[in-house]
Structures are given as structure tokens and as C-alpha cells.
Amino acid sequence: MIGFVLRRIGVSVLILIAASFVMFNLVAISTDPLEDLRQSSLPNKQQLIQARIQLAHLDVPAPVRWAMWLGGVAKCLIPFANQCDLGVSFHGAPVTQLLPTAMGSTVQMVTASLVLAILFGLMTGILSAIRENSGFDSSFTVISLFLFSLPSFLAAAMLKSFVAIGYNNFLQDPVIPIWVSLVIGVVMGVIVQAVVGGDARRRLIAFGINFVITSGLLIYMSASGWFLTPAIGPVALPIISIAMAVGLVALLAGLHQRRALLTGGIVAVIGIITYFSIQGLLDRATPLLIVVLAVVAIVVGLAVGYFVGGDDRKQNMRIGAILAFLISLLILIDRFMQSFPGYMYDTNGRPVATVGSGTPGYDPNNMWRSGLDVFFHLVLPTLSLLAISFAQYTRYSRAGMIEVMGQDYVRTARAKGMPERVVVVRHAFRNVLIPITTLVATDLGALLGGAIITEYIFAIPGMGQLFQMSLGPGDIYPVMGYFLVIAVMAITFNFLADLSYAALDPRVRVR
């Protein structure tokens, strides 16, 4: 394994060097970095031209400038030397100072959209495969194909017009008519009964329960003013925590596993008690404290699963850790929602932003309101990028699951009398992840490419905007900084994908 890793690192470095040489020279040949100054009517035009030539070493041939730039990149590998040199822009700003600021928004958008696309795409694709040729399958096939063919700029424009402006207007008088609540309840009921499947009686029960719950919640939220003062609350959070415990145990172990149920119940009770006991602490929370609390929650979940033990201790530990993380995330979401009225006041009642990655000069000295500001600025760009990837994961996971469910080992597992849950989760799902792993590595490049257009439409000062504003005038060093970050991320994700194959497929062995 060590030899494989070292070989891959060596090959990756050679690929990175060769690609940087091609990129540097293409930009140098295809652009004129002095064009804007030559067309200028300023009296000191010649002095400005000479200053730019000296600043960017434009009097040196492009291959030699690339070698000089590569030497500066090599200094970045020296630990604690603080000598990293990626060049300077035409405005005299070091690229090492431009990149961290630009990377923040882009990494947040791409990471969130990638994770959400994988989660929702896998769930939808697997459900479509299990309910093959059903109404649910046909509906999401049409939706995924529509999203796949939707250009990113059009998705961004539609989100700005219909979601941001529409929701901000709705918050001025957040009342949902009863007939709209009933229609939404009917739609959700139809979707859920299609997912549940079974005979007509089972579908009708699923439709009725979901219709009542969805319509009732919407009517209650509208009548109580929940949209202006949202919160999960001390009543709903325990109910949701217990429901998540039951659902997670049913998915991973089965409700007949008493020790798994005991693990889920204990972790849920600990999470509910924690919710009521740390509210005062969360008022003074910092990002570091949140991370520490999340780690502690996962450790507690692992400990509960370990001490409950049983025939499958690892499974109980897995259930405890996942459930502890989900309940922690639920508590975190509730705390952010409690801060929404204050943020609503700070934004004059229009919280969903359409431009920028944050409100200029906004510093509420409150982690929760600052987090809401980042969320409402990046939620629409993230959804825009999500539309690019969601369809791919849905179609790949659906096709992979249909193929796997027809394999001999799946039929053998069913013939042994294993529950369908075990067949899908333990036998089929793991093999579906193998092609998805490759897709994740390649999809990263598509997301980063889409980020250029998305950041332009939403006026986000990220990596895409840095690349676009630098490439036009031929400002080569910021362009190479963008290339370096993107290339390293792509190579790293492909490397991790190769390592993941051995963990997912026992037949793959690295010698």
C-alpha cells in the first residue's frame, strides 16, 4: 500500500507539472496583458506599461516565466518557511493573499452541493430502482432528465427570480391559504404512497397519514406565525429524535434487534436531555465549541453502542454514532432557527440574498446570525450547483441498483430468507457505491466549472470570479493560482477514489 501511494503521488506531481506548463503557455500566448494600457489615453501610459512589464516579468519568455513561477510554488512545500510565492496580480496583490479569500465561498458552495447531491441522488436513485417502472420512478426520471439538461446559468436566474424574490415577498405576509396546504398535502401523499408501494390498502394508509400530517403542519405553521419565528422546539425535537432512532435501527439492523433498539433509545434520551441542558451554553457558542460538542456526541454514541454490546457490537456502535451526529445536527439547526427573527430584523425582512457571499459590514458579534448570513447568501448558488449533479447521481445509482439486484449473490441472499432491508443495504448498496465513487471524483471538475458561471450571476467573490476577471486581461498569476487549486483538488479526489475501491470491493487488492 505504501508503495502504491508513493507511486501515485509521484505520477500526480508529474501530471501537475506538465499540466501547469501547458496552462501557463496557453494563457501567455492567447492573451495580451498590455492591451488595456496601450488603448489608454493616460499621459503616463508608457510608465504604466513599463511598471507592468517589470511587475509580471513580461520581458521574459513564457517558458522561463513558468519555471520561475514553479520555483515559487516549490517554496510552498517547505514547512514553516513562510516563503510561498505564487506571483502577484496586475494590481500588486500577492496571489497567496487572493486565494484564501476566494477559496472560502467556492469551497463552501462546492462541498455543500456535492454532499447534498450524493445524499439525495443516491436515495432517489435507489428508491427508483426498488420501485422500477412505478409512478415514482417515472416522475423522478423526468425530473432528473430535466435538471440534467438545465443550464447552470438558467437555473441560477430562475432561483433568483422565483425563490429569492418570491420567498422574501412571502415573508411580508407569511400566510398559506388552507386550500394550498391541502393541495401540498395531496402532492406529498402521492409521492409517499409511491415510495411505500405495496397493495392498495397500504398505499391508501400511507397517503392518508402523510396528507394529514403535511396539511396539518402547514396550517399550524401559517396560523402560529412559525415562518417569522421558526424553531423545532422542545416538543417536536424529542419526537423527531425518537423517530430518527426507530428509523435508523429499522434501516441498519431491523426492529427485531433489541440491543440495537436499546442503543437507539439510550442515545435519543441522552440527546433530548442534552438539548434542554446546553441552551445557555449555546448562547455563548463558538465554532470551536460546536466542533468539540459534535465530537463528544459521536464518542458518546460509540460508547453506548459498545457497552450495550450484543452479537453485533460494531453495528450498535455504528447506530449510536450516526444517531448522535444526527441529533446534534438537529439541535444545531434548532439554534440557528431561534436566531432567525433577529437576522430578519437586520435584513429589513428580506433575508434571502441574491448577490454576494455575505452582507458587507455585517458583524452582529453573534455566531448564529453570522452563520445565517452566510447560509442565506450561499443557499441559492449551492442549489444551482446541486441541480448540475443531482441528476447524474440519481441515474447512476438507479442503473447500478437495477443491475446489482439481478446478480446471483442477491438472489442467493433472498433465497436464504434474508429480509429485503438486509439484501438492499448490506449486499446491493455497497456494490452500487463503486461506480458512484468514480463519479464523485469526476463530478468535482464539473461543479468547479459550473461555479465560474454561478459566481458571476450571484456576484460572489470566489475562485470562479477570480479566474474570470484575471483571464480576460491576461493576468496570468491569479489564473495559475486558480489552476493550481483546482488541479490539486481533482488529483486528490481521484486518488481518494482509487483508495476507496479497496474498501468497497474486497476483490480489489493493491500490491
Side-chain angles (χ1 to χ4, degrees):
M1 176 64 75
I2 296 177
F4 170 76
V5 172
L6 293 177
R7 287 196 302 271
R8 282 302 304 266
I9 292 176
V11 172
S12 299
V13 170
L14 293 177
I15 293 175
L16 188 61
I17 292 174
S20 66
F21 177 81
V22 174
M23 182 71 177
F24 194 101
N25 284 274
L26 284 176
V27 176
I29 294 172
S30 60
T31 59
D32 183 4
L34 300 176
E35 181 179 4
D36 59 327
L37 294 180
R38 290 196 185 100
Q39 297 177 355
S40 173
S41 58
L42 295 174
N44 59 340
K45 178 172 65 175
Q46 291 301 322
Q47 290 84 349
L48 293 174
I49 291 176
Q50 290 300 320
R52 181 172 293 184
I53 291 175
Q54 295 179 4
L55 179 67
H57 306 289
L58 298 179
D59 54 343
V60 179
V64 179
R65 278 191 286 151
W66 168 80
M68 296 167 59
W69 174 82
L70 192 63
V73 174
K75 295 179 182 179
C76 301
L77 303 177
I78 304 175
F80 308 109
N82 196 24
Q83 295 181 353
C84 188
D85 182 13
L86 301 180
V88 295
S89 68
F90 286 166
H91 303 288
V95 177
T96 52
Q97 296 180 7
L98 296 176
L99 283 179
T101 303
M103 285 177 60
S105 301
T106 302
V107 170
Q108 288 178 351
M109 283 193 309
V110 171
T111 303
S113 59
L114 185 63
V115 172
L116 292 174
I118 293 173
L119 291 177
F120 291 117
L122 284 178
M123 289 190 297
T124 305
I126 291 173
L127 287 173
S128 295
I130 295 174
R131 301 284 181 261
E132 186 180 4
N133 297 325
S134 65
F136 177 85
D137 180 29
S138 302
S139 299
F140 272 91
T141 298
V142 173
I143 293 173
S144 61
L145 291 177
F146 170 75
L147 292 177
F148 185 75
S149 61
L150 188 66
S152 58
F153 67 88
L154 180 58
M158 292 172 62
L159 287 171
K160 289 179 69 172
S161 300
F162 297 105
V163 177
I165 298 176
Y167 188 71
N168 286 334
N169 292 336
F170 167 75
L171 289 178
Q172 307 306 309
D173 185 21
V175 176
I176 302 178
I178 294 179
W179 70 270
V180 175
S181 301
L182 296 177
V183 170
I184 296 175
V186 170
V187 173
M188 293 301 299
V190 171
I191 294 174
V192 171
Q193 65 85 26
V195 174
V196 171
D199 55 20
R201 180 175 178 275
R202 182 179 178 180
R203 289 174 178 270
L204 186 61
I205 292 175
F207 172 85
I209 293 175
N210 192 266
F211 169 76
V212 171
I213 293 176
T214 303
S215 301
L217 279 176
L218 289 176
I219 294 172
Y220 167 77
M221 292 163 66
S222 178
S224 62
W226 185 89
F227 293 101
L228 295 178
T229 57
I232 298 176
V235 176
L237 190 136
I239 296 175
I240 297 175
S241 299
I242 295 173
M244 287 194 304
V246 174
L248 190 63
V249 171
L251 180 64
L252 298 182
L255 296 178
H256 63 282
Q257 295 288 346
R258 294 184 178 181
R259 290 187 180 269
L261 279 173
L262 181 60
T263 300
I266 293 174
V267 173
V269 170
I270 294 175
I272 294 169
I273 295 174
T274 303
Y275 168 73
F276 290 101
S277 61
I278 66 170
Q279 290 299 315
L281 179 63
L282 293 179
D283 291 335
R284 305 182 301 274
T286 62
L288 178 60
L289 178 62
I290 297 300
V291 173
V292 171
L293 291 176
V295 173
V296 171
I298 294 174
V299 171
V300 170
L302 289 171
V304 171
Y306 177 83
F307 287 112
V308 170
D311 297 333
D312 199 343
R313 175 169 285 165
K314 290 184 179 180
Q315 177 179 265
N316 294 335
M317 292 175 65
R318 191 182 307 118
I319 291 173
I322 295 175
L323 182 59
F325 174 78
L326 293 177
I327 294 177
S328 301
L329 185 62
L330 198 64
I331 295 174
L332 190 66
I333 293 173
D334 177 78
R335 192 60 186 80
F336 272 114
M337 293 171 71
Q338 292 179 32
S339 301
F340 180 76
Y343 181 72
M344 184 82 169
Y345 175 80
D346 294 339
T347 55
N348 297 320
R350 304 189 71 83
V352 183
T354 57
V355 293
S357 59
T359 303
Y362 183 67
D363 185 16
N365 196 24
N366 182 297
M367 187 194 80
W368 307 109
R369 292 192 191 180
S370 299
L372 287 175
D373 187 60
V374 174
F375 170 78
F376 281 114
H377 276 82
L378 297 182
V379 62
L380 296 185
T382 300
L383 291 176
S384 177
L385 292 177
L386 173 63
I388 299 175
S389 302
F390 169 78
Q392 298 184 68
Y393 290 107
T394 300
R395 306 319 300 160
Y396 269 87
S397 57
R398 178 186 181 276
M401 180 61 74
I402 292 175
E403 180 181 0
V404 167
M405 294 298 283
Q407 298 295 321
D408 291 339
Y409 65 88
V410 174
R411 288 195 291 267
T412 302
R414 284 174 170 164
K416 289 181 178 180
M418 291 186 177
E420 190 68 14
R421 172 193 56 79
V422 176
V423 173
V424 173
V425 175
R426 290 194 176 185
H427 293 273
F429 179 66
R430 183 169 181 172
N431 288 278
V432 171
L433 289 178
I434 296 174
I436 296 298
T437 302
T438 305
L439 180 62
V440 171
T442 57
D443 185 48
L444 180 67
L447 285 176
L448 291 170
I452 297 177
I453 301 174
T454 303
E455 289 177 5
Y456 174 77
I457 294 176
F458 288 99
I460 296 175
M463 294 287 293
Q465 189 181 84
L466 176 66
F467 174 80
Q468 183 189 25
M469 295 181 64
S470 303
L471 183 62
D475 197 353
I476 195 168
Y477 293 114
V479 172
M480 292 306 297
Y482 170 87
F483 163 81
L484 186 64
V485 173
I486 302 305
V488 169
M489 291 180 64
I491 290 174
T492 301
F493 271 80
N494 278 277
F495 177 64
L496 294 176
D498 289 343
L499 294 181
S500 300
Y501 293 148
L504 294 172
D505 191 349
R507 296 170 297 179
V508 177
R509 290 293 180 264
V510 179
R511 296 185 181 275

